[in-house]
Each structure stands twice: as C-alpha cells, then as structure tokens.
C-alpha cells in the first residue's frame, strides 16, 4: 500500500497551480470580482478555452477520444487547485459533460447543469444547460463570482432522501459531489495558508500574533480539519465508493466553511473587508456546500451504511 | 495514490486471519479489570501465542503496512489488545530498537516480544506534566550505577511492570532540556514504592511511584548521559504516531454495533441522532484513511513516525469521546448502568485528550512544528 501522491500526480498538481497562478492569479481574481455587475460576473471565454487546451475538461476522456486518459484521483487534484484559486465558472458540469456535449472537452462550449437542489450556476453564460431549467428565476447570489438561478423544486430543498439516492446510484452525481469536495479542500488549504502567513507577520503587543496561543490553536485546528478532509477526499477518489464520497463531502464542506471563518477571525478587522479574499472563500464554500449531496443527505447516506 | 495492498501483504493478511480464526476460540475468558496479576498473565499469555506463531516481532520488524494489517485484522477478529504490554511493545521497545546498543537490544527486546517482561513509563511527575522537561527526579552517578531519588506519577501499569522507561535529571545546572537522561529501571530494585491511584473509571490503571536512592546500573542508560530529551522525542513520536492505530479499527466496530443497537431500540428513528451516527461514520472512516496516509509516509521515509501523529491524536481523541457520548444517547437511561456495554469505555475515553500530551499541547506542536508559528505565550 502506498497512499501518497505519485511523482506524476505531484507534477500535475504543480503544473495546474502554475497555470492558474499565471492565468487566474490574485489580480485576475480581484478584477473579476470588481468587474461583476449586479447580474453577476462575466465568464472569461478565453480562459475557458485555455483550460480546455490544458486538458482541464478532457482529463478523464480516453486518449483515443482525444482526452488525457487520467482518472478520478487526478481530477480531484485538479479541482483541488481550482478551489484553491477560486476559479469561477461551471467547471464541474463542463468537465462531466466532456465526451457527451460536443465542444465541452476543448473548452469551446460552456456547460452548466440544474442541481438536484434546484440551483443553476452560470445559466446565462452557458451554451448548454443540462436538466430541466423551466421557470428558473434569478437569485442575487451571495458569491459575486457565482451567478445563480433557482428552479422551482417540489417538496423539500436540500438533504432529501432523493438526493441521497441519486448520489448513491448515479455516477455523474457521485463524481460531481466528489469534485465539489475537492474544491472545498483546496479552499480550506488556502485559507489555512493565508491565516498562518498573517499570524506570522501581523504584530500586536510587540510580537507576532501567531505567538499567542489562542491564535495558534485556531491555526492548528484549521490544519487538522484540512488534513482530515484531504485524506477523506483522496481516498474517496481512489475507491469511488458512494458512502466514502458522502463522508468526504461532509468533512470537506466543514473544512472549507470553518477554515474560512477561522481565517477571518485571525485577520481581525481586515478580515471583514471586501479587500481581503477571505469572504470570497467563505461565500464560495457556502455555495458549494448546497450543491448535490448536501449535509443532511450525506449524513443519512453514511448512517444507512452503518 | 493507492490503497490496495501488494500480493505479499494480502498473503500476510490471509495467513493471519486464518491463524486468528483457529486461535481465538481457545482463549481464556477476559480477567477482572481490577485484578492486575490476572491481567498481566492474560495479556502476556496472548503475546506469547503471537510470538510462538511468528507475530511477536510485528510492531518492530514488519513493514508499516504489515503492522497496519496486523492491527486491523486482530482488532476485527476481536483479539485481545496489547494491554499491559502497551509500553514495552509500542514505545519503550521501539525506542530501544532505534536508540539502544546491540547488547541492550539483545537484553530487552526478546523478553518483551515473548511476553515475559512488562514495561511501564515513568516520565510524568507531580510538578512536571505538560512541562515534562521540568522533571526533578535526580540521578547521581556512583561508580557503575546511577542513584535515583524522586517521585513519578500517573505511571500506567506500574503494578504489573518489570521495567520502567525512566526519565531522570542528571545535570541540574544545564538548561532544562539538556540535563535529562533515559534509563531502564528494574522495578524490583530496592527503594521503589508503588502506590496505585484509582482512576475516575474506578480501575487502578496508573500509580504513584516513590524512588528512594534506587540504584540503576549505568549500562541501563539508553542514549548518552544528558541526551535523554532527544531519546524521549523518539519515544513520544511512537506513542503519538502509531500507538493508537489499532483503536481506530475498534472504534469503527463499536460504531457498527451502536447503529445496530439504535435500530433495535428505536432511537434510530430520531433523525438528529441518526445523522450524528452518520457523521461519526465519516469521521472514523477518515481517521482510518489518515492512518494509512501516515503509515505510507513513514514507510517511505523509513523510520520514526513524524509530526502527522499529532494531527491524528488531536482529532482521534475528540472523536473517541464523541463516539461514546453518542453511545450514551443511544442507550438513554441505561447509560448510567456501568454493567452495560460501552459505559466503562465512555469513562476511559475521557483520558484521551489528556494522556500522551493534552490537546492544548498537541495544538502547540502542530502550530509550532508543522505550521512554523513562533513559540510564545
Ligand atoms: C490515563 C492516563 C495515563 C497516563 N499514563 C502515563 C504513564 O504511563 N506515564 C507517564 O509518564 N505519564 C502518564 N500520564 C500522564 C500524562 O502524560 C499527563 O497527565 C499529561 O501530559 C498532562 O500533564 P498533567 O496531568 O500534569 O496536566 P498539566 O500539565 O497540569 O495540565 C493541566 C491543564 O493545563 C493545560 N496546560 C498545561 N500547559 C499548557 C500550555 N503550555 N499551554 C496550554 N495549556 C496548557 C493542559 O492542557 C491541561 O488542560 C497518564 C495520564 C493519564 C490521564
């Protein structure tokens, strides 16, 4: 047994991080946020095609079909980096549509999907919408970089037995949940990093605040949450087991939202400003946490397996 | 990134599984937890069976993955845990294997593996707990022996032990981390008084130990004089890094039993409780994966477990307490009956965030040694 990243996987992760740093670094992120009007952000089509050219969408298509021929664990590493960079767009829907919707694999076509929760991300920017989008109404999205619509849903909202069942039986929905968890993991790792960097440099009472135990312990818990989520997500990618994916979703959702909150705390007043990136991580984490297999349904799914 | 075992490892698992199936039915019943001689005999008897079957060495010589398989399979089969052999097998032994001289390894390792000799850990003192390096038990060199005087506390299994991994101060003038030495003290030496302490669970797991001019041969020193703190770090990394691995498997088994009980007694219909069980399922699954991750790392670096053990210990100790609190919620009023399953374990679980370094200390370690935050207040 060797449950570590292979050399190729490390290289893949590094490569994606460099690409995103170059093409969607902090300045680009902030420009996108500032450019977002009341209707939400615009999708950068050129970036989308570049992601396509880099294999972002075709990663798991067989080489014979023009894809990269890699597997779910590699896709998880890719989406972890996307989550870390707060890369916007219906990335998961397009990734899952590659091979089925012509042009998706190359990044020429933007695909979005109606989530079981009734939410649709990036509806207006998309060329193709999967699922029943009749009667959707726009939502003033909490996340400036994720425009949302909402379809009327019958019965309860999230966490229904139905979503749990779909998550267990439908491979696409299972993969969507896992890739969402991977994005959450990336975000958790990033806010942990930001908090630690701030705690090392910001001084109060004549010393870095990271020397104070109250701050130190917040940071330690952030790392613990992130690392537990990391192994859960990676292992779920290896086994692709629906129950393990549900568990990974639980831990990754918690890591992303709780680490963003703790990061905000470590940042102090600066954390409450629009200028700090912390709120962007928290808001995106909230949006992701509603996608697909959300909290209660995931808990039910794991409980049913006991 | 992979979780599959090699053919060789799977073969090891299959052979072990077969052996356990044959061996376990003939095991004598578990002894009374308050009867130390009986407990010692039981735990050592089991260790001896393992030794005779070729599994005695598994905590040291086997690959980390094999050790993981061993813990997984023995726990799954409901085999006895290390019990009184905990210190000898899981940290004093590995420390001697890593730091001892060839003579010391010959002298001490085999008897531990055969279940002939039991060890205890004499680190903590009344005034030196979290601040372990503040320990004051003195050892003064007299010819070929150290003469040791002082007091230890919380010494687990002291009543049953033949040997004690003992930390003493050999240079009172040096900075506190520098003047410490690691000794193997025979527990039958004159001058040792062991006074059992009663735990909140009612058992006598640990004891106070009074040392009055106890003579320990210089040859029993592991590592150099005044270099004991470094040796101790090796011991503690084993204690935090690998010693709890088997228990994760046990917790997963308990969780399964808990779900069955809840389905039977109707508490399963409470969605809040049911989801709490679901969350625990995710938690223990992840802790098992974390174990596999840490073991893979240790296997690759070929040695002593790293600081990843602190991440594990922090999360595990709380998850274990949450597990038994949830068990109490499933049991309802029966949670007050100590004769009912899990209630003793619920009490024992309270020690996990304290023993082997409190959660606060583990958080300091994670923050300072992994995240590089400054030492401070
Ligand atoms: C069941 C059990 C078995 C044990 N077995 C053994 C054994 O076999 N051998 C052995 O040597 N020891 C053993 N111990 C002792 C154990 O290692 C100590 O209890 C532990 O390290 C804490 O020390 P203390 O009890 O002196 O608590 P203290 O150090 O007094 O701590 C009290 C409280 O203060 C907090 N605290 C202390 N310092 C700091 C700090 N710097 N920052 C923040 N918070 C702080 C602690 O977290 C804790 O909450 C055992 C303990 C238990 C409970």
């Amino acid at each position: 047994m060797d449950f570590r990243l292979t050399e190729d996987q490390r290289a893949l992760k590094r490569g994606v991080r460099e690409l995103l740093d170059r093409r969607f670094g902090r300045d680009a992120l902030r420009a996108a946020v500032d450019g977002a009007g009341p209707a939400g952000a615009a999708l950068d089509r050129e970036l989308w095609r570049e992601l396509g050219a880099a294999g972002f969408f075709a990663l798991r298509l067989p080489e014979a079909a023009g894809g990269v021929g890699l597997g779910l664990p590699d896709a998880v590493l890719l989406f972890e980096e996307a989550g870390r960079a707060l890369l916007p767009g219906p990335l998961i829907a397009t990734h899952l549509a590659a091979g089925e919707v012509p042009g998706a694999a190359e990044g020429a076509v933007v695909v979005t999907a109606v989530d079981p929760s009734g939410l649709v991300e990036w509806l207006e920017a998309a060329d193709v919408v999967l699922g029943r989008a009749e009667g959707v109404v726009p939502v003033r999205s909490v996340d400036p970089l994720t425009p949302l619509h909402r379809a009327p849903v019958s019965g309860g909202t999230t966490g229904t037995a139905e979503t749990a069942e779909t998550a267990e039986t439908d491979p696409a929905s299972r993969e969507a949940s896992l890739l969402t968890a991977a994005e959450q993991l990336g975000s958790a790792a990033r806010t942990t990093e930001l908090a630690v960097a701030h705690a090392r440099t910001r001084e109060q009472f004549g010393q870095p605040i990271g020397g104070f135990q109250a701050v130190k312990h917040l940071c330690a818990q952030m790392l613990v949450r992130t690392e537990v989520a990391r192994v859960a997500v990676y292992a779920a990618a290896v086994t692709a087991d629906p129950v393990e994916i549900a568990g990974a979703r639980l831990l990754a959702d918690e890591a992303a939202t709780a680490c963003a909150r703790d990061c905000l705390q470590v940042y102090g007043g600066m954390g409450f400003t629009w200028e700090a990136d912390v709120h962007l991580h928290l808001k995106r984490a909230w949006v992701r946490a509603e996608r697909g297999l959300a909290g209660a349904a995931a808990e039910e799914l794991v409980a049913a397996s006991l | 990134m992979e979780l599959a075992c090699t053919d060789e490892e799977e073969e090891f698992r299959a052979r072990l599984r077969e052996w356990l199936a044959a061996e376990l039915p003939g095991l004598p019943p578990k002894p009374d937890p308050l009867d130390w001689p009986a407990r010692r005999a039981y735990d050592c008897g089991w260790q001896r069976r393992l030794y005779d079957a070729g599994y005695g060495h598994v905590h040291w010589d086997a690959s980390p993955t094999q050790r993981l398989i061993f813990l997984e399979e023995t726990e799954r089969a409901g085999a006895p845990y290390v019990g009184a052999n905990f210190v000898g097998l899981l940290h004093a032994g590995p420390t001697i294997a890593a730091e001892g001289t060839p003579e010391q390894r010959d002298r001490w390792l085999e008897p531990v593996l055969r279940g002939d000799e039991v060890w205890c850990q004499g680190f903590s003192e009344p005034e030196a707990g979290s601040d372990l390096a503040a320990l004051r038990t003195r050892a003064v060199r007299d010819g070929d022996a150290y003469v040791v005087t002082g007091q230890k506390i919380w010494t687990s299994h002291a009543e049953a032990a033949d040997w004690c991994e003992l930390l003493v101060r050999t240079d009172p003038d040096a900075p506190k981390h520098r003047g410490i030495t690691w000794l193997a003290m025979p527990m039958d030496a004159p001058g040792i008084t062991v006074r059992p302490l009663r735990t909140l669970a009612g058992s006598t797991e640990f004891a106070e130990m009074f040392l009055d001019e106890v003579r320990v041969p210089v040859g029993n020193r592991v590592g150099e004089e005044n270099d004991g703190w470094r040796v101790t770090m090796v011991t503690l990394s084993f204690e935090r890094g690998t010693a709890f691995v088997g228990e994760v498997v046990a917790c997963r088994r308990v969780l399964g039993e808990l779900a069955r009980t809840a389905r039977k007694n109707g508490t399963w219909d409470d969605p809040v409780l049911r989801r709490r069980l679901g969350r625990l399922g995710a938690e223990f699954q992840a802790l098992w994966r974390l174990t596999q991750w840490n073991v893979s790392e240790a296997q690759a670096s070929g040695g002593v477990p790293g600081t990843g053990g602190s991440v594990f210990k922090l999360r595990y100790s709380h998850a274990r307490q949450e597990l038994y609190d949830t068990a109490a919620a499933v049991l309802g009023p029966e949670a007050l009956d100590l004769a009912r399953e899990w209630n003793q374990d619920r009490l024992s679980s309270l020690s996990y965030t304290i023993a082997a370094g409190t959660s606060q200390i583990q958080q300091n370690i994670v923050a300072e040694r992994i995240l590089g935050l400054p030492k401070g207040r």
Side-chain angles (χ1 to χ4, degrees), chain A residues 213 217, chain B residues 87 91 120-132 152-157 199 205-206 239-240 348 351-361 364:
Chain A
Q213 228 176 32
H217 289 187
Chain B
V87 172
H91 50 94
C120 64
Q121 180 189 36
F123 284 11
S124 305
E125 297 183 6
E127 304 303 326
S130 297
D131 188 10
L132 181 57
K152 295 286 170 179
I153 196 166
W154 319 129
T155 316
S156 300
H157 310 157
T199 70
E205 288 297 323
F206 49 35
E239 184 172 11
R240 289 163 192 164
S348 306
S351 75
Y352 279 70
T353 45
I354 299 170
T358 68
S359 293
Q360 286 67 38
I361 296 301
N364 287 349

Side-chain angles (χ1 to χ4, degrees), chain B residues 245-262:
Chain B
V245 166
E247 298 188 18
V248 180
V249 187
C251 285
R252 294 175 79 198
R253 197 188 61 220
V254 168
L255 185 60
E257 289 164 8
L258 204 54
R260 275 193 290 285
T261 303

Side-chain angles (χ1 to χ4, degrees), chain A residues 179-257:
Chain A
L179 297 178
T180 298
E183 289 185 325
Q184 297 285 52
L185 165 64
S187 176
R190 180 66 185 146
T191 49
T192 301
E193 217 176 273
L194 288 171
V196 170
H198 187 72
R200 278 210 196 115
T201 46
R202 167 77 174 166
E203 291 195 8
Q204 288 293 292
F205 301 96
Q207 70 168 83
I209 57 168
F212 298 116
Q213 228 176 32
V215 174
K216 200 177 269 188
H217 289 187
L218 276 176
C219 294
Q221 287 300 341
M222 292 172 80
L223 182 83
V224 170
R225 259 186 243 120
T226 304
E227 292 310 305
V228 172
R230 178 185 308 285
V231 293
V233 171
Y234 288 1
V238 173
T239 63
D241 172 71
V243 175
E244 187 145 18
I245 289 175
R249 253 311 282 278
L250 283 173
L251 296 169
D253 283 348
E254 194 206 351
T257 49

Side-chain angles (χ1 to χ4, degrees), chain A residues 105-200:
Chain A
E106 298 79 38
V109 166
V110 176
V111 183
T112 190
V114 183
D115 193 83
S117 64
L119 291 171
V120 199
E121 299 179 0
W122 293 95
L123 180 70
E124 274 156 16
D127 304 307
V128 177
V129 184
L130 304 175
R132 293 165 58 88
E134 290 104 55
V136 291
V137 288
V139 171
R140 246 186 84 203
S141 176
V142 64
D143 174 11
L145 288 187
T146 311
L148 290 173
H149 282 72
R150 191 169 167 75
V153 278
S154 50
T157 50
T158 51
T160 57
E162 230 168 288
T163 35
E165 204 182 302
T166 329
E168 185 154 14
T169 48
D170 173 15
S173 127
R174 210 186 298 159
E175 286 170 8
S177 278
L178 178 66
L179 297 178
T180 298
E183 289 185 325
Q184 297 285 52
L185 165 64
S187 176
R190 180 66 185 146
T191 49
T192 301
E193 217 176 273
L194 288 171
V196 170
H198 187 72
R200 278 210 196 115

